Each structure stands twice: as C-alpha cells, then as structure tokens.
Amino acid sequence: MATLLTTLQRSAALAAMLSLAAGAFAASGPAPAAAAAEAAAISANPFAPTAEIPAVPEAFQTSELPDVIVVATGGTLAGKAADGTSFQNYRAGTYLMEDLVAQLPGKEKIADVETAQFGNKGSGSYTLQDLYDLSQTVDAALEKYDGAVVTTGTDTMEEIAYFLDLTVRSEKPVVVTGAMRPWDVIGTDGPANLYNAIKLAGSGKTKGYGTVVMLNDVIQTARDVTKANAHRMDTFETPVLGALGYIDEKNISLYRLNARAMASGTPQWRTPFDLTTIAKSNLPAVEIAYAYQGAGGGAIKQFVEDGVKGIVTAGTGAGGLSADMSAARAEAIQKGVLFVTTTRTGSGTMYQGNTPGIIAGDSLNPQHARILLTLALAFSSDYDTVKGWFQTIGTQDVPASGTVEPAAPAPELVASDLAGHWAEEPVKRAASYGIAAGYPDGTFGPDKPVTRAELAVMLMNALNVQPAVAGEPFADAASIGEWARTAVAQAKQLGIVKGYADGSFKPNAPVTRAEMAAMVGAALGLQGPADGRTSFADDAAIPAWAIPALNGIRQKGLIDGRDGNRFEPSAATTRAEASVLLLRAHDLGSA
C-alpha cells in the first residue's frame, strides 16, 4: 500500500491525465494535449542518481549489524583548516568521506558503513537542481542500505534537509549531519557528529520520521529545525516545539512523534513530490522578500521581472508588509505569481486569509516555505492545490484521532449480487483493505458504471488521507451525497479533482475505461512510449493520450481487455473493474 500513496498522490502533478478533471473525464471531449506532454516528460526523465551507489559488500551481508551508507556533499565537516587552531580559516569540502569514515574509532561496533561521494563543497554552492539529484541518490542508496547519513555544510543544511524530507520516497532513516568546526582542528565536532549520525541511522529509531537533522547529540525534525548562531556548535534549534530527542553515548532517546511518524506504514506517509515524474528543469524560480521598516516594493517587482513563479514574504510580526511591498505584491498576483506569508521573527504561525494568491505558511520559516513552494509549483500551478499542500504537508498537524494504532480491518463484504461473479474474490479483497464497499441494500453492483463520486471515495479510502481542510465547494456541492462529500473535498484539496469549467463536479457522471487507464498509469508512473500502439483489436479507437498509460499498466498486468481482445475505451468502467484495478495497484505496491 505504501507505493499506492506514491502513485495516487502524484495525481496533483499529473492532473490533466488522471484527474477526475473535466477535460480528462469528458468522454467525447478533445484529447488532452497536456496529458500527452506530461507523459512524454515522464518517460524522458529516467531515474539516474549522480553518485555511484556501491553494492552492499559481501561481508556486510553475513553481519548482524545494520548497513549504513554515508552520502557526502562536503561542508565544514570535510573542511581542511589552515592550521590546527584555525576554526574560521579553512577550506570546506576538502577531505573525502571514505577517508574520514576510515578514521572513526569504534564504528565497527554500531554499523557496517559504506560511502558515496555526491560532491565536495559548501552547502550554499548547491542549486535546487543539485538537490533534485541528491534526493534521488539517497533513494537509490536506500534500496540497498538500511539507513543513510547525508553530510552537508551547515549554512543551508536546514533547506537541504527539508528538501530531502519532502522528496525522498523511502521511509528508512535519513539523518543529515555536519560540523561547525573543520575536521582537523582541536576540539572539532565533526567526528562525533558523523559517528552519532551513523549510530542513529543504523538504529532504525527514526524510520518513518522523514529526514532528521542531528548535530551536537541533538535530533531535530527537518521541517522545524533552523540554524540559530553563526559560530556556536549548538547552533541548531527547533523554536517553540523543541527537539525530538538526544544521543548520549549508547542511548538514543526520542521523546515525541511528529505527524509523519504517526503516518508511518500508511499510504499517507509520502508527499506528492515524486521527483522521478518530473525533470529538474521543472523546478521553478522562487524568491524571498524580506520586510522591514519602510521597505520598498522594488525587490518584489524585480523578482517578477526576472520571471519568478512564487515569492515568500518574511513579514514583520504576523507577516506584516509595508504599504509599498503590499502594493507590489498585489500587482504581482495579478500577473500570476503565488505568494506565501511567513514571519521574520523566527517563530509563530501564519493563518490562512481570504485574499486570492496569498497562502499562509503556517509555522514554516521563510527558507523552509521557499523549499515547499518550489516543489509545489513544480507539480502544480493551481492556487487551490498549492494552498492545500501547505495546509496539509506544510503544517504536519497531528490528526484529531491522535493515534498511531493501525486501522481495524474492514468487515468482510457480503453482497447478494457477487456470488459467482468473475470479480467476487478480488472485490471482497478490495473491501477488506477498505478500498471498496457495497450498498446499504446488501448489493455491490459489480456491473454498474463507477461514478465520479464513487471513484473519489475509493481513491481516498485507498490513500487514507487526513480530513480535508475547508475550501471553496463545487457549484453543485448540494448534489454530492453526504457519503461522498468528505472524499470529494479531500480529492479536491490534493489536486486530484478540479471539476468542470462551470465549477461543477458532476458526481453521478460515469468514468470511461480510457480515463481510468490514464489515471492509474499516470499515478503509478507506468508509461509506455508516447507514439506506441496497443495490441487490442480496437486499437484504432483508443485515444492517443491514453495509450502510454494503458501500455504501461497492461505490462504490469493491472488491466485486461474485454471479449474479443477489445479494450472498449469509451465504455464505462464498472465498479468491479475499478475495484480490481485498485486492488492490483495495491498488490503491486506491497510486492
């Protein structure tokens, strides 16, 4: 089920293809060119980490110790000082991680350690495109190793860590560390930080927490941590909320869960920001405008002239701006630039207002908000979708249930019209996972067309998402049954549904087989060649925009044809077919 989140939540970025959106779900409408372009972009963006990930050595495979890889990017930790007492006069990113790890005493007691040298320079020298590569390198490493340590410079460590937190797909431990003093001076903190980071990654205690930052024996969440002092070794702090825990020699103590840890092991854990579905060139320009007494609007105007897609404002107090900055912001919004409000004070929560084009940054500091806005705009330019991500992924608020207990299994589906049906067994399995449900009259209606409202409910059941934040309702909200309203609102918030041009949702409209194939193929990232054809007898009737996804999911055995090897793309998808398709996607993710 974990992969199901990776895939289904991608929908916001691939809305033209998969959405319950009007263009893609109008059976007689024009072929969505945007969908074909998106599919081509995906197929042209192969997963290719930039640092070679070594295979797990044979000796590690017979060891009981955890396998940990250190992905090195340089920074002060790998710095070479002018002399043994030069704390400030040094060259960052000089020593190779392989050599530094070799110097660590006692590492053989805590983990089997390998290294991968991603780069070797100061943290501020890396671009967001470099972080795109770094994230995929970490994911590639975690396919082989039990945990990863990422070493970086401390200047922009919090931004690098938050980028990884939002994009790494594996729940395995990712620990970011560095140093405030170069490796070869007296009193250096580098070796201790590296040793403890390896210990933490190998312990598995932060599995599911997302990326964490560990320096000076203190463990912090990537979302909340910030560098608070230019020189002190205890520079990293989490304002108001406090650290996750500490490392004291052999003892690793965690004292609280974050919202991500509470979602561990569920489809809800991953964000929609799967970098394997976009090219690094999709990462847009996003800037930060700082407010101060009598601030002018020139910075915002120049950012807009430079072509930025989003701007984070670091406002005074609760996000306040000067009159000139406010005027420049209003003008920029008219030009399509999205704004996120944060505070320059170092802590405090921003709450959503009613002004279009402005999104509240919650308690994210400006630099963290910029990372989230950059990723959000890389996957969607829709204001409501981006706002929804800030209100869910950005806030990481603990759900009202406050529980980490797994959901109770759904009761067995008993439906009078399923007996002897070709889909009886898989439909019952889908029901056991909470994906599908029958009608109150004791029937399932396996051969009935699945409606847009029903599909929204099935998708949200599969995703197990948090309750929706209130947003602008569809024009025909009154026609959406009470049983589907929450799911439709959740799907809208995630960017899965956008409705029709008139603002309606049309909950009772059926979903065609071509639309369902495009949706699932895009969501799972299973795309064949854009110019290919299928082997179905009615291939000529299948719209070109659906073919890449159809070939991709068919190769995985997720979808079948009908009698006579016909796909029947314009035919309505039945409730049984939708249930079986989502069940197979679940099984694929669990394999």
Side-chain angles (χ1 to χ4, degrees):
M1 184 66 91
T3 299
L4 190 57
L5 172 75
T6 306
T7 58
L8 293 178
Q9 278 196 321
R10 265 183 223 157
S11 52
L14 304 171
M17 282 191 73
L18 60 84
S19 48
L20 301 157
F25 273 77
S28 59
E38 185 67 33
I42 293 171
S43 62
N45 179 38
F47 180 78
T50 58
E52 182 178 353
I53 305 300
V56 178
E58 186 174 347
F60 288 13
Q61 298 174 23
T62 58
S63 168
E64 294 184 357
L65 291 173
D67 300 329
V68 174
I69 187 164
V70 181
V71 180
T73 73
T76 299
L77 185 145
K80 179 178 175 58
D83 58 57
T85 59
S86 294
F87 299 143
Q88 303 300 320
N89 185 13
Y90 63 90
R91 188 175 66 185
T94 300
Y95 296 117
L96 295 177
M97 184 51 60
E98 181 181 11
D99 298 330
L100 302 186
V101 167
Q103 296 176 38
L104 288 180
K107 61 182 179 297
E108 67 281 354
K109 300 177 183 178
I110 57 173
D112 293 322
V113 187
E114 266 290 354
T115 65
Q117 193 75 41
F118 177 86
N120 214 5
K121 55 187 177 181
S123 59
S125 298
Y126 287 99
T127 66
L128 290 182
Q129 287 70 31
D130 293 329
L131 301 191
Y132 169 101
D133 291 331
L134 177 62
S135 175
Q136 296 195 62
T137 298
V138 171
D139 258 324
L142 292 175
E143 291 181 4
K144 303 177 181 180
Y145 291 83
D146 299 318
V149 173
V150 179
T151 62
T152 79
T154 60
D155 284 355
T156 61
M157 178 181 285
E158 63 192 271
E159 291 154 88
I160 293 173
Y162 193 44
F163 189 98
L164 295 176
D165 186 52
L166 291 171
T167 58
V168 169
R169 315 312 290 169
S170 174
E171 288 194 32
K172 292 180 181 179
V174 178
V175 181
V176 176
T177 195
M180 291 298 291
R181 293 177 176 177
W183 186 268
D184 53 4
V185 297
I186 58 171
T188 179
D189 54 335
N193 286 341
L194 181 58
Y195 182 89
N196 275 341
I198 292 170
K199 181 192 300 180
L200 179 60
S203 74
K205 294 200 70 168
T206 59
K207 180 181 179 181
Y209 274 80
T211 300
V212 301
V213 172
M214 198 295 305
L215 283 89
N216 207 42
D217 306 334
V218 183
I219 307 164
Q220 323 254 12
T221 65
R223 178 196 181 274
D224 304 310
V225 72
T226 191
K227 186 173 182 178
N229 190 284
H231 301 296
R232 303 287 76 81
M233 288 192 291
D234 60 351
T235 178
F236 283 96
E237 299 177 354
T238 297
V240 181
L241 301 178
L244 288 173
Y246 308 93
I247 301 177
D248 293 316
E249 198 166 332
K250 295 180 179 180
N251 303 299
I252 300 175
S253 303
L254 294 178
Y255 293 103
R256 66 181 178 92
L257 292 170
N258 60 1
R260 293 205 76 189
M262 296 182 73
S264 179
T266 73
Q268 194 176 342
W269 187 85
R270 290 182 179 86
T271 74
F273 309 133
D274 185 348
L275 298 181
T276 66
T277 67
I278 65 169
K280 66 178 73 176
S281 59
N282 287 90
L283 294 171
V286 174
E287 297 291 351
I288 299 174
Y290 198 86
Y292 47 88
Q293 193 74 44
I300 291 177
K301 292 178 181 179
Q302 187 60 53
F303 287 152
V304 174
E305 186 175 330
D306 289 344
V308 300
K309 300 300 181 184
I311 296 175
V312 175
T313 56
T316 57
L321 300 181
S322 68
D324 286 347
M325 285 188 75
S326 294
R329 179 175 64 180
E331 183 179 335
I333 290 172
Q334 293 301 313
K335 296 179 180 179
V337 178
L338 285 184
F339 280 78
V340 171
T341 299
T342 66
T343 177
R344 73 177 196 179
T345 63
S347 63
T349 300
M350 305 296 103
Y351 296 100
Q352 187 63 44
N354 297 318
T355 305
I358 302 176
I359 297 169
D362 195 74
S363 59
L364 294 171
N365 67 24
Q367 51 270 34
H368 284 150
R370 174 178 172 264
I371 294 297
L372 177 54
L373 183 57
T374 300
L375 287 167
L377 289 173
F379 284 80
S380 178
S381 59
D382 179 68
Y383 168 74
D384 287 331
T385 298
V386 175
K387 181 175 72 172
W389 286 337
F390 267 85
Q391 292 173 334
T392 51
I393 299 163
T395 63
Q396 284 297 295
D397 190 21
V398 175
S401 63
T403 178
V404 295
E405 294 295 323
E412 181 180 356
L413 174 66
V414 178
S416 59
D417 55 352
L418 272 179
H421 193 276
W422 67 267
E424 178 181 6
E425 187 275 334
V427 166
K428 288 184 175 180
R429 282 191 58 220
S432 73
Y433 292 124
I435 297 171
Y439 292 116
D441 65 358
T443 65
F444 182 77
D447 297 321
K448 290 180 59 176
V450 66
T451 68
R452 287 162 56 81
E454 289 173 336
L455 185 57
V457 171
M458 292 172 74
L459 285 171
M460 294 305 100
N461 285 346
L463 286 171
N464 190 27
V465 298
Q466 295 180 18
V469 176
E472 188 68 24
F474 286 109
D476 58 348
S479 67
I480 301 173
E482 184 67 32
W483 57 272
R485 286 178 187 170
T486 298
V488 170
Q490 290 168 334
K492 184 173 187 281
Q493 186 181 78
L494 289 173
I496 295 174
V497 301
K498 291 191 176 183
Y500 289 82
D502 62 0
S504 66
F505 176 65
K506 295 182 173 52
N508 298 318
V511 179
T512 71
R513 284 171 54 80
E515 291 160 350
M516 178 63 88
M519 177 187 70
V520 176
L524 292 174
L526 299 175
Q527 300 289 321
D531 58 350
R533 301 305 305 179
T534 73
S535 59
F536 287 110
D538 56 347
D539 176 78
I542 302 173
W545 54 265
I547 286 177
L550 178 56
N551 280 329
I553 63 175
R554 196 182 188 201
Q555 288 172 4
K556 293 292 185 179
L558 300 185
I559 198 165
D560 302 313
R562 290 182 172 177
D563 290 344
N565 191 35
R566 296 178 60 81
F567 181 65
E568 299 183 15
S570 297
T573 303
T574 68
R575 283 169 48 83
E577 289 172 332
S579 300
V580 170
L581 193 52
L582 287 176
L583 175 67
R584 289 173 178 174
H586 167 273
D587 290 344
L588 181 67
S590 300

